[in-house]
């Protein structure tokens, strides 16, 4: 019996490597539906013989397609075609899919959560697969204690281009997120005699970390210019600020107030910890340069995160240390046993260097801008009797400031029972009665899901009235 002709014939004269030609052929057939979900691919040995190539070439191609999510490989049953939805929803599928978030049991409008359905699975998988193929040792042992050298370089370039901070790679310390970075900075800088100034309202772990380390904290209230300066003589020697985008209220600190803090640090020999957790998400105007970029005295430690702009499950963030603090921060990292996961670092570096990261960032920024605007307009149109919103044209959350007749905590409890992950603004503050609002995530859900969430929020408010 004649052998069946292989589905394509390799072009031996082509500059495209043989394994890539095999990949291209299978990708096209899977995408077109010619190979259906669950279909078994020819055995590697058989295909290698048919094509007249080494078996290793076919194995490499199949493994690449596994990494890209086209194929699944199971011991004993070879390679089979995956459902495409397991990799990435096509635009059509996304439009018709039911709100999966509620199906997954997640809450709608959860503050600070990126929409992980937008994660660039395919580009990321390619990058990881390429690295596994070409320099696997980099993923296992190429990472130094303070981060992979290429990632430290990529971060130094990122903060220079996006945040206006001139930093060398050795000033960058990779951590497992901004939260860990905050803990490390407090460990390195807060003193037993001094006090840590924290914004109120602010990111709750900061106060917790300082107090767990036996440090006193002082509240820095917010006025229209941003956080207020520490009261002279109150012992504050470290302040933690979110100047680009105050958390959770959302405003940016004015240039004048930034200068005041830089002067305060220089005069009091204090330190500024700048938590710049989501500043890449600015939807109008130019990005506001980081405070660390304008502090010519080297008294600002900068913290960034990949949780919002890329993936919160990657658990990756970083510190950019001023020259005089590199050793102290590195020592604090050692003392705390802090160390970011090594495996994804080389891949992330390559993802950034090749521009994929920025393609993704531009894409999600566009989508989030629309969601952010929609949430604000919907709240203004439908909740004016309950409270008001301020549009800061930045960030991932929106605060509905409630009129005095409404109390945030019962509303939030009722909203959570309805599947809406709202947070009470008062939970971010230690000053009784200073804050009353509902913090809502603007990025997690598409416009249909937002509409559904607001119906539920309205029901929750009515039920508490
Ligand atoms: C103000 C602020 N800082 C830091 C973080 C933490 O970032 P990461 O996930 O990188 O630990 C968050 C997360 O929501 C935040 O809101």
């Amino acid at each position: 019996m004649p052998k069946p002709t292989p589905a394509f014939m390799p072009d031996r004269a082509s500059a495209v490597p043989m394994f890539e030609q095999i990949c291209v052929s299978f990708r096209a057939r899977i995408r077109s539906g010619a190979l259906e979900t669950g279909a078994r691919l020819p055995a590697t040995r058989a295909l290698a013989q048919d094509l007249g190539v080494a078996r290793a070439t076919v194995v490499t191609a199949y493994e690449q397609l596994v990494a890209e999510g086209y194929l699944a490989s199971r011991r004993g049953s070879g390679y089979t075609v995956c459902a495409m939805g397991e990799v990435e929803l096509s635009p059509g599928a996304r439009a018709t899919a039911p709100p999966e978030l509620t199906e997954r049991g997640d809450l709608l409008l959860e503050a600070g959560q990126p929409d992980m359905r937008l994660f660039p699975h395919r580009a990321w998988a390619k990058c990881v697969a390429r690295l596994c193929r070409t320099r696997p040792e980099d993923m296992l042992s190429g990472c130094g204690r303070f981060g992979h050298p290429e990632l430290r370089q990529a971060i130094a370039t990122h903060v220079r281009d996006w945040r206006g901070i001139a930093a060398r790679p050795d000033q960058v310390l990779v951590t497992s997120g901004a939260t860990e970075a905050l803990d490390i900075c407090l460990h390195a800088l807060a003193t037993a005699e001094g006090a840590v100034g924290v914004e109120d309202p602010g990111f709750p772990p900061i106060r917790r970390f300082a107090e767990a380390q036996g440090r006193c904290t002082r509240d820095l209230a917010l006025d229209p210019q941003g956080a207020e300066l520490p009261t002279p003589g109150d012992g504050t020697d470290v302040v933690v600020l979110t100047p680009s985008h105050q958390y959770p209220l959302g405003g940016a600190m004015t240039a004048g107030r930034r200068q005041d803090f830089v002067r305060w640090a220089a005069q009091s020999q204090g330190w500024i910890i700048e938590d710049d957790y989501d500043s890449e998400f600015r939807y109008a105007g130019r990005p506001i340069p980081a405070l660390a970029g304008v502090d010519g005295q080297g008294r600002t430690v900068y913290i960034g995160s990949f949780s919002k702009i890329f993936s919160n499950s990657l658990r990756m963030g970083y510190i950019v240390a001023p020259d005089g603090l590199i050793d102290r921060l590195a020592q604090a990292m050692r003392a705390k046993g802090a160390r970011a996961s090594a495996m994804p670092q080389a891949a992330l570096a390559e993802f950034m260097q090749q521009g994929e990261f920025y393609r993704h960032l531009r894409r999600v920024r566009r989508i989030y801008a629309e969601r952010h605007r929609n949430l604000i307009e919907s709240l203004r149109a439908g909740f004016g009797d309950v409270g008001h919103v301020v549009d800061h044209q930045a960030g991932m959350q929106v605060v509905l400031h409630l009129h005095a007749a409404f109390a945030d905590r019962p509303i939030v409890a009722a909203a959570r029972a309805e599947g809406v992950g709202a947070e009470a603004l008062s939970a971010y503050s230690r000053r009784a009665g200073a804050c009353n609002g509902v913090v809502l995530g603007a990025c997690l859900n598409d416009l249909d899901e937002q509409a559904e969430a607001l119906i539920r929020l309205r029901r929750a408010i009515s039920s508490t009235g």
Side-chain angles (χ1 to χ4, degrees):
M1 206 170 69
K3 267 176 130 190
T5 325
F8 88 108
M9 289 308 294
D11 176 358
R12 290 178 198 288
S14 165
V16 178
M18 195 60 70
F19 88 89
E20 186 56 36
Q21 292 189 38
I22 299 172
C23 288
V24 167
S25 162
F26 278 114
R27 276 190 211 108
R29 285 150 69 197
I30 293 169
R31 280 205 209 107
S32 71
L35 276 172
E36 290 178 353
T37 302
R40 189 172 304 219
L41 263 66
T44 51
R45 195 183 303 276
L47 184 64
Q49 263 175 13
D50 286 349
L51 299 178
V53 300
R55 185 174 171 219
T57 305
V58 178
V59 172
T60 306
Y62 280 11
E63 286 300 324
Q64 168 71 21
L65 294 169
V66 169
E68 291 177 17
Y70 286 94
L71 300 182
S73 124
R74 267 179 213 99
R75 196 185 287 264
S77 56
Y79 294 85
T80 52
V81 175
C82 287
M84 290 305 286
E86 289 170 23
V87 185
E88 186 178 71
L89 292 173
S90 70
R94 197 174 293 131
T96 54
E100 324 160 28
L101 288 157
T102 41
E103 273 182 15
R104 288 206 320 257
D106 292 346
L107 296 170
L108 294 160
L109 300 189
E110 203 160 3
Q113 292 297 331
D115 184 349
M116 290 312 295
R117 293 170 298 184
L118 302 175
F119 185 80
H121 296 281
R122 190 158 294 162
W124 176 249
K126 263 191 191 169
C127 184
V128 172
R130 192 167 44 246
L131 212 68
C132 285
R133 224 176 31 246
T134 54
R135 25 186 200 120
E137 68 289 349
D138 250 16
M139 304 186 81
L140 303 172
S141 56
C143 204
R145 165 98 223 187
F146 305 113
H148 193 287
E150 286 178 18
L151 183 58
R152 296 172 86 184
Q153 171 68 64
I155 292 170
T157 306
H158 177 76
V159 297
R160 183 198 65 205
D161 293 349
W162 283 72
R163 311 300 303 123
I165 301 171
R168 300 181 312 277
D170 65 294
Q171 290 175 260
V172 176
L173 309 172
V174 179
T175 66
S176 66
T179 311
E180 185 183 69
L182 284 163
D183 196 17
I184 293 165
C185 291
L186 288 171
H187 185 89
L189 303 176
T191 58
E193 319 74 54
V196 179
V198 294
E199 294 175 336
D200 187 301
F203 187 49
I206 298 170
R207 203 188 296 279
R208 274 207 306 276
F209 289 150
E211 288 170 356
Q213 293 174 17
R215 310 298 181 219
C216 298
T217 57
R218 304 262 188 270
D219 297 336
L220 304 175
L222 298 157
D223 67 19
Q225 297 202 58
E228 292 177 353
L229 288 157
T231 311
D234 74 354
T236 302
D237 52 5
V238 178
V239 293
V240 187
L241 304 174
T242 52
S244 296
H245 184 228
Q246 205 281 329
Y247 188 84
L249 296 181
M253 186 181 279
T254 60
R257 184 60 56 82
R258 286 162 189 249
Q259 286 304 336
D260 292 343
F261 269 105
V262 170
R263 261 194 303 275
W264 166 84
Q267 281 162 6
S268 64
Q269 294 296 289
W271 298 106
I272 301 169
I273 300 172
E274 177 176 17
D275 178 6
D276 204 34
Y277 61 105
D278 76 347
S279 58
E280 286 88 351
F281 293 137
R282 188 144 198 93
Y283 308 126
R286 291 182 6 172
I288 299 169
L291 206 161
V294 296
D295 173 10
Q297 312 289 320
R299 303 206 68 86
T300 304
V301 187
Y302 177 87
I303 291 175
S305 171
F306 289 102
S307 293
K308 312 293 183 196
I309 50 177
F310 193 50
S311 159
N312 48 5
S313 51
L314 191 66
R315 299 309 311 142
M316 198 85 74
Y318 51 91
I319 297 170
V320 181
D323 258 333
L325 278 186
I326 301 174
D327 289 345
R328 205 151 137 193
L329 287 162
Q331 229 170 41
M333 264 184 95
R334 268 195 219 97
K336 294 197 80 65
R339 188 165 205 161
S341 168
M343 213 171 211
Q345 293 194 29
L348 182 56
E350 188 160 322
F351 207 67
M352 292 171 84
Q353 283 156 357
Q354 294 197 339
E356 289 291 348
F357 179 79
Y358 296 99
R359 200 162 301 133
H360 169 68
L361 186 46
R362 280 194 296 275
R363 173 169 177 251
V364 290
R365 208 157 55 145
R366 204 178 52 244
I367 295 170
Y368 290 170
E370 185 191 24
R371 293 180 180 183
H372 190 267
R373 192 176 49 247
N374 184 69
L375 184 58
I376 287 186
E377 284 170 3
S378 307
L379 287 169
R380 282 186 175 153
F383 290 76
D385 57 324
V386 178
H388 74 278
V389 291
V390 182
D391 185 1
H392 296 289
Q393 302 192 319
M396 304 183 73
Q397 69 273 347
V398 169
V399 181
L400 174 63
H401 295 271
L402 296 170
H403 299 326
F406 299 90
D408 60 8
R409 294 189 192 226
I411 288 179
V412 160
R416 289 195 155 249
E418 288 274 359
V420 178
E423 304 272 1
L425 184 60
S426 59
Y428 294 83
S429 171
R430 219 163 40 173
R431 293 168 303 142
C435 299
N436 182 34
V438 177
V439 185
L440 300 165
C443 299
L444 179 61
N445 301 115
D446 65 26
L447 305 195
D448 291 343
E449 291 162 350
Q450 280 192 0
E452 167 64 26
L454 292 183
I455 292 170
R456 296 185 194 192
L457 178 63
R458 172 50 77 176
R459 223 169 24 228
I461 293 172
S462 305
S463 75
T464 58

